[in-house]
Amino acid sequence: MATASQSENINKEVANKVLDKGGDVREGEELDAKAVSNWLREQGIDVTGMPVVTQFSGGASNWTYRLQYEGEGNAQNKSQDLILRRPPKGTKAKSAHDMVREYTVQKALEDAYPYVPKMVALCTDEAVIGADFYVMERMEGIIPRANLPKGIDLDVAQTQALCTNVIDALIDLHQVDYKAHPDLVSLGRGEGYCERQVTGWDKRYVKAKTPNVPSFALVRQWLGKHTPADSKTCLIHNDWRFDNVILDAADPTKVIGVLDWEMATLGDPLMDLGSALAYWIEEDDNIIMKQSRRQPTHLKGMMTRDEVVDYYLKQSGLKIDNWTFYEVFGLFRLAGIVQQIYYRYYHKQTTNPAFKNFWIIVHVLHAKCLKLIAQYEGEVLFSSRVQPHLQDMGVDAAMIEQLPSPIQAVIKGILPKSYFAQSVSKAEK
């Protein structure tokens, strides 16, 4: 029988295998560790020697590094385990990778929200490493990505607890009294968040459109006509996914941290929920969406999208008349994000092979939006009043005919029955 000491060592060994860790620094993304270390000391941060530098995956977002300072001698020279975040090289618009905003939000939440890492220091002097950056303490734990790490086997009850805890952490964020924090108040632009988001993503999609993706004309028009007033204003994360939370290694159902605050703002919590559910892939979703899954929401014990909405509304006390708007907006926003990335690949601004087939995902998201709209309007109204007057609808439908057969089959299986036949007929006329 193993002793208590041996059992503790075994548990540590298992936990160490599932903890989220960095890997080798990618070529062209090297960090000037000496410059960073000197700057930290100038800020009064007690680091000794040079750190071991590793880098976390996620090249399409901000670059994230782990700095492990071993420390020497007595307790005053203790080890430091830090995380550094900086924007990618060549970023022109700071608003897209705003380190000051990301740092400020987390710093303001330090005493108001238990899941933010502890901020260490912010640097806005680009002379140090060529960009703004900030440093925070590392939160040691598990990050659930497309699948849970090997060695983490949750039963149905544990998976249900994990799912509930992740949604509860989002609800808790939406309950933060942002008015008590001046740095959070300054994030907002007042009423009209829903309208600004619809208008903004409409423009972004049109700007990023390539010839091989649909226009989203009907979707964009429908969203514009059905935009509600803001349900309320609160602090929203704007990128809520399982792979942006940290789980306790000793209890993988427990949330201990939330990451990636670069898009946090004041806005409508239902828009935050709709955007989060656009990433929520269920076991019975189509093959293309399942292949692009980024979080383990397919596991038995996870809530369905409808169950998440019901649970959120019950816990938050919010009431809505048209959930379809928020769901369609979330999918359209995701299509815009995916298309912006694909636009860079299409125009050879990046050669990352992972982006090669993103245009296919855009087609599927378009079909999902149309299906939801048809369900909301009813097939008769959708086919007789909503769809026919849009001239480019036939062009979008004809484009589907040019897709590879397996993809075409998936998309036709999603689309409303009346959409394809009428649109093609109109295009032929």
Side-chain angles (χ1 to χ4, degrees):
M1 180 179 293
T3 65
S5 177
Q6 288 173 325
S7 296
E8 183 177 348
N9 289 334
I10 292 171
N11 289 336
K12 285 182 179 179
E13 183 178 343
V14 172
N16 190 50
K17 289 181 179 179
V18 299
L19 291 174
D20 195 62
K21 300 175 184 177
D24 294 338
V25 176
R26 294 184 290 270
E27 185 178 352
E29 300 180 12
E30 294 79 13
L31 182 71
D32 188 340
K34 181 177 180 181
V36 170
S37 299
N38 289 338
W39 178 83
L40 284 170
R41 295 185 190 102
E42 291 172 2
Q43 311 313 305
I45 311 302
D46 183 20
V47 295
T48 302
M50 291 292 290
V52 175
V53 180
T54 49
Q55 186 178 21
F56 292 91
S57 60
S61 185
N62 293 321
W63 296 348
T64 306
Y65 304 85
R66 181 182 179 186
L67 312 177
Q68 294 174 268
Y69 293 91
E70 293 302 324
E72 300 171 356
N74 56 38
Q76 291 180 339
N77 287 326
K78 62 182 180 180
S79 62
Q80 292 267 21
D81 199 352
L82 305 174
I83 299 293
L84 183 148
R85 294 260 293 171
R86 60 149 293 168
K89 288 180 182 176
T91 302
K92 294 181 180 179
K94 282 192 176 184
S95 60
H97 302 274
D98 193 337
M99 296 294 97
V100 176
R101 183 189 192 91
E102 193 169 336
Y103 176 90
T104 301
V105 168
Q106 292 175 92
K107 185 69 175 176
L109 285 173
E110 188 172 22
D111 298 321
Y113 189 65
Y115 305 116
V116 290
K118 184 177 180 180
M119 298 297 102
V120 173
L122 169 70
C123 179
T124 56
D125 181 2
E126 294 190 4
V128 179
I129 63 169
D132 292 351
F133 68 90
Y134 71 90
V135 177
M136 61 185 177
E137 292 185 359
R138 175 175 175 255
M139 298 182 77
E140 186 174 85
I142 302 166
I143 296 182
R145 294 190 168 86
N147 297 294
L148 294 173
K150 290 182 179 179
I152 300 296
D153 297 311
L154 303 183
D155 60 28
V156 173
Q158 289 172 317
T159 302
Q160 186 175 19
L162 166 60
C163 181
T164 303
N165 290 338
V166 170
I167 301 303
D168 282 343
L170 178 63
I171 295 171
D172 290 346
L173 175 65
H174 292 166
Q175 306 306 315
V176 168
D177 181 10
Y178 71 88
K179 294 179 180 178
H181 305 274
D183 284 337
L184 298 180
V185 173
S186 65
L187 295 174
R189 292 174 55 190
E191 291 293 320
Y193 177 82
C194 294
E195 184 177 353
R196 288 193 299 273
Q197 285 294 294
V198 170
T199 301
W201 281 105
D202 187 304
K203 293 177 180 176
R204 293 183 196 106
Y205 184 82
V206 170
K207 187 176 181 180
K209 185 183 178 302
T210 49
N212 56 347
V213 296
S215 67
F216 273 82
L218 190 153
V219 176
R220 289 159 40 219
Q221 184 185 79
W222 187 89
L223 285 171
K225 285 185 175 182
H226 291 79
T227 304
D230 298 349
S231 64
K232 75 172 209 177
T233 298
C234 66
L235 181 65
I236 62 176
H237 184 272
N238 239 344
D239 196 20
W240 193 270
R241 304 192 309 263
F242 276 71
D243 58 348
N244 278 337
V245 302
I246 306 174
L247 306 178
D248 188 341
D251 179 5
T253 70
K254 181 180 178 182
V255 177
I256 61 172
V258 176
L259 302 173
D260 287 4
W261 293 84
E262 64 185 286
M263 293 193 287
T265 190
L266 297 185
D268 190 319
L270 296 178
M271 296 287 268
D272 207 10
L273 182 62
S275 297
L277 289 183
Y279 293 95
W280 199 280
I281 308 302
E282 300 173 6
E283 181 56 36
D284 59 351
D285 280 331
N286 66 77
I287 185 64
I288 295 174
M289 296 310 296
K290 285 198 285 190
Q291 287 176 345
S292 62
R293 179 172 52 80
R294 297 186 60 171
Q295 52 186 2
T297 50
H298 65 301
L299 296 176
K300 289 184 178 180
M302 288 284 179
M303 299 183 203
T304 64
R305 289 182 289 267
D306 289 342
E307 288 171 342
V308 171
V309 175
D310 290 343
Y311 179 81
Y312 180 93
L313 294 177
K314 181 179 179 181
Q315 297 301 115
S316 68
L318 289 176
K319 299 184 184 301
I320 52 175
D321 297 323
N322 178 9
W323 170 251
T324 301
F325 166 82
Y326 302 99
E327 192 169 8
V328 171
F329 170 77
L331 292 168
F332 174 57
R333 175 181 179 266
L334 178 56
I337 292 170
V338 172
Q339 181 59 24
Q340 285 177 325
I341 297 171
Y342 178 71
Y343 179 92
R344 292 173 53 222
Y345 180 87
Y346 183 88
H347 290 284
K348 296 181 171 53
Q349 296 170 5
T350 176
T351 57
N352 190 333
F355 305 150
K356 180 180 179 181
N357 293 321
F358 271 27
W359 65 280
I360 297 174
I361 299 173
V362 175
H363 272 280
V364 174
L365 292 170
H366 177 242
K368 286 170 68 71
C369 286
L370 292 177
K371 179 178 181 179
L372 289 168
I373 292 172
Q375 289 173 341
Y376 176 81
E377 298 287 351
E379 282 281 349
V380 174
L381 286 179
F382 178 79
S383 60
S384 64
R385 292 174 53 185
V386 178
Q387 176 187 337
H389 67 284
L390 291 175
Q391 294 181 357
D392 53 356
M393 195 58 56
V395 176
D396 282 351
M399 185 185 298
I400 296 172
E401 292 280 26
Q402 309 304 316
L403 297 176
S405 296
I407 300 168
Q408 192 178 139
V410 170
I411 292 172
K412 287 183 177 180
I414 300 171
L415 284 168
K417 293 179 181 178
S418 61
Y419 171 85
F420 193 79
Q422 289 196 21
S423 297
V424 170
S425 175
K426 184 170 184 178
E428 290 172 349
K429 291 180 181 179

